[in-house]
Structure formats: C-alpha cells, structure tokens
Amino acid sequence: MQTLKILQRSGPWRHGQRCNALQSGVQVPFHVAVARNAIRGCKQRTARWRTSQAKAGAAPASLAPVSDVFVLDFDGVVVDSEPEITASAFEAAAIRWPGLFGPGALSDERRAALREAMRTVRPVLVKGYESMVMLRLLLRDPNCVVTLRAILGRWGEELPRALAEWGESEAELSKLFESVRNEWMTGRTESWMALQVPYEGVTEALRGCPFPTYIASSKAAHRVAALSRAVLGLDLPADSPRLFASLLPPEEKKAEALSTIGSRPLCAAASTRLHFVDDRLDTLRAVAAVPELAARWKLYLADWGYNTAEEREAAAREPGVRVLSLPEFNELLRFGLVMGVDDGCEPTQEEVEAGV
C-alpha cells in the first residue's frame, strides 16, 4: 500500500522553515485527505507559534523584540471613505455653485452618474477640496472618456487649469469643503459616519492583530480618531503616538513618518519585520527611493483601495513592492504572514505529485 510519511516537529516552526525539513515519523496509509490535513496542520501550527511569539514580545516584562510592526494608511486601506468625500463635495458645490449643484439643478440620474464617475477618479485625489473640482469637471458629461482620462492621467495639470479658468482658489475651496465636512461630522454625526465603510474583514483583523499597529494618514487626526472609535470600535485618540495624521504631501510626509516609527525602540531589533500598507503607488515609490527605508520596510500596495488597474500592474513589476489582496491583508494582520505564500509550508514532492 502506498504510504505518506507524516512529519513530526522537533521544535516550534520558524518563519521560512520548510515543513519537510523536520524529523520524520511513522508511516500511515496514503490518502489525499491525509495530505491536505498535514498541510493545513502545518500552517495552523505556524500561525499559532508566530502569534504567541508576537504576544510574548509585546509583553512589557519581556526583553524579546516584537516580531512584526504594522503601519497602515487609513482611507483606501482600512476604511472606504469615498462615499463621504463625494457626498461632501455635492454639499459644498451646492453652496459654491448653486446654479450648477443647488436644489433642483440635477436630476437623480445625473447625480447617480456623477457619483459613479467620482469613484472612478478617486485614485488621484489627494486633498478633500479637489473632489469639488472633479465634480464640476465631470458635470457636463460624467461618462465622457476624455474627461475621465484627463483627470486620471494628468490631474496635476488639470487641477490648476480648472481653478484658473473658474477664478477659484485652493484656499477658499478648501476652507469651504472642510467647513461642510466638520459641520456634517459634528451636527449630523450618525449619517456622516454611515458613509464610512470598513473594508470586509478589516475590523475583525485589526481587533485580533497581536502586533503593534500605527496609522499614517493624510486625513486629519480628529477625523481618524472619531472614525476609529465609531466605525471600527477601536480606541485611537487624536494625540496617540500611534497616529500620524495630516500627512501632506503624502509621498514626503509618510516617508518621514516611517523613519520616525522605525527609529523607535520597538522597531530597533534587526529581526523585527516592518510592514507598510498603502493604496497609493507613488507613496510606496517615494518610500522605496529612500535607501534606509527600503532596506527595512516591507512595502505593500492595497489592491482593494484607490488605485487603477495600470497602477496595480506597475506595482507588480516594482522592486520591493508587493501587491496585496484584501484576504491576504487580513491574514497578514492576524499572523504576520500570508498563508500559503510566505509561511514556509511549501508542498513536498509527494504532495505535488498527489495534486494537493
């Protein structure tokens, strides 16, 4: 009868250690189900050991370094804020340009088309007020491919051109937009919070994450704190040392934040893995361009966030950047690794031949 050798461990599994490098044990009847159980058990034990190590390292009384530290962008990684930004843009635009966006100016169909177009161009938005400009540019024809491509492809040129053409200023539009958002957030809190949607599984993954976690966001600190409490159920005060907010421009300021975090005693050990997850490829490129950051930080592009298919394809070719799916992200937060990818449990030749 064909048999499969079940592997017994001689000690705890470590990251990168192959399952088939362990001591061999008894012979049992070969069956595909047995092989699958062997692989599954290996991964589960690996994850449990990594989690227990992280918890032990995080304990105040322990001298051992933590195994992993995470820095996460907020919008586009943890929470989908696009519905709120677009809704705020409509309200602010109705005040600034009542003839175009005021009561009765738009049909329900046109509003729906504009909302869909705004989601399409969200990847290039950096500052909140820019959503007002995008909305007005898209007003004539939300489905115009030329306009959509112009915004996505050369927003840095289209934005100042539109402001100059309309006689508007960044300062005035920004002041109005932030005023509308703050009034909505404080005066109609429940409806404002309802427009901020955590990505699937992220809330549970964050609550179950045994590793130190920081937030690095271009969003204002008081908004991140309020959303963390109301939407995620997490306590992250605006003055928390774990929160780096209002990071604009993001390329420069997030690199500075990573440098600051990486210099803290928590991250001092060379064995500590530092993870940075963002949905903007330009931000990741800016970090990768700093040699001391590139040498220490694992960089991930969140493929569920505000980026385009072209950016995801480019990221896949980018040295030092890994494209991460949402399920992989949730696993990474829980275990410090992605099961079946970097857990060290590669299939043996027997398992490959068995098709498991």
Side-chain angles (χ1 to χ4, degrees):
M1 178 182 295
Q2 190 178 13
T3 60
L4 171 68
K5 186 171 291 185
I6 298 299
L7 304 174
Q8 296 177 333
R9 62 187 176 93
S10 58
W13 272 282
R14 290 175 172 79
H15 180 68
Q17 184 176 6
R18 288 179 57 89
C19 295
N20 59 1
L22 306 177
Q23 292 181 344
S24 61
V26 299
Q27 301 284 334
V28 299
F30 181 90
H31 192 277
V32 171
V34 175
R36 286 176 175 164
N37 286 337
I39 297 171
R40 187 181 303 113
C42 172
K43 293 179 179 179
Q44 290 172 345
R45 286 189 291 271
T46 300
R48 285 198 298 270
W49 180 81
R50 290 286 300 280
T51 301
S52 67
Q53 289 294 97
K55 289 181 177 178
S62 174
L63 296 178
V66 296
S67 63
D68 298 83
V69 173
F70 286 90
V71 177
L72 312 176
D73 183 23
F74 196 75
D75 293 347
V77 172
V78 176
V79 169
D80 180 7
S81 61
E82 183 277 324
E84 179 272 318
I85 289 177
T86 296
S88 294
F90 271 108
E91 289 211 6
I95 296 172
R96 191 67 175 183
W97 307 301
L100 299 176
F101 295 96
L106 297 173
S107 66
D108 291 343
E109 292 77 8
R110 177 52 62 90
R111 283 184 176 273
L114 283 169
R115 282 195 295 269
E116 186 64 28
M118 288 292 287
R119 189 159 189 86
T120 299
V121 299
R122 175 60 181 85
V124 297
L125 184 144
V126 177
K127 299 180 180 179
Y129 86 92
E130 295 174 14
S131 59
M132 296 174 62
V133 182
M134 291 175 171
L135 197 59
R136 183 167 171 178
L137 285 172
L138 291 164
L139 180 60
R140 178 174 296 180
D141 183 1
N143 299 312
C144 179
V145 175
V146 174
T147 303
L148 291 171
R149 286 179 177 172
I151 294 175
L152 287 171
R154 51 178 188 275
W155 182 234
E157 301 172 15
E158 291 296 316
L159 175 60
R161 183 198 62 76
L163 292 177
E165 180 181 330
W166 304 335
E168 298 285 2
S169 73
E170 174 181 339
E172 291 183 1
L173 292 184
S174 183
K175 181 179 179 180
L176 172 60
F177 184 78
E178 294 305 317
S179 174
V180 167
R181 293 181 86 187
N182 285 332
E183 185 280 327
W184 194 350
M185 176 182 165
T186 57
R188 297 170 287 159
T189 305
E190 187 174 348
S191 63
W192 189 81
M193 292 292 181
L195 293 172
Q196 320 273 351
V197 185
Y199 290 103
E200 184 177 0
V202 171
T203 299
E204 295 77 12
L206 282 172
R207 290 175 179 173
C209 180
F211 312 108
T213 304
Y214 295 80
I215 295 295
S217 175
S218 59
K219 207 179 197 74
H222 71 284
R223 291 200 184 104
V224 176
L227 287 168
S228 296
R229 182 172 55 254
V231 177
L232 301 173
L234 300 175
D235 183 24
L236 185 66
D239 60 353
S240 170
R242 295 187 294 121
L243 173 57
F244 290 73
S246 298
L247 300 180
L248 292 170
E251 291 79 12
E252 174 187 343
K253 295 301 181 180
K254 288 190 179 182
E256 291 178 3
L258 293 182
S259 180
T260 299
I261 295 168
S263 67
R264 291 180 174 176
L266 189 70
C267 306
S271 60
T272 299
R273 289 172 292 275
L274 308 181
H275 309 269
F276 175 49
V277 186
D278 203 291
D279 67 326
R280 285 177 54 85
L281 180 56
D282 285 346
T283 299
L284 296 175
R285 282 171 169 164
V287 174
V290 182
E292 55 268 31
L293 296 180
R296 288 224 58 196
W297 289 89
K298 295 179 180 293
L299 307 178
Y300 307 88
L301 180 74
D303 77 353
W304 63 95
Y306 309 128
N307 44 63
T308 65
E310 291 76 13
E311 287 173 326
R312 292 189 288 275
E313 291 173 3
R317 301 188 299 268
E318 195 80 17
V321 176
R322 174 173 168 181
V323 180
L324 202 64
S325 70
L326 184 54
E328 289 174 334
F329 173 63
N330 290 333
E331 282 190 352
L332 192 63
L333 285 179
R334 289 179 179 274
F335 308 123
L337 52 81
V338 177
M339 295 298 192
V341 177
D342 49 13
D343 57 1
C345 290
E346 300 92 339
T348 65
Q349 184 60 37
E350 292 168 305
E351 294 162 353
V352 171
E353 293 174 356
V356 296

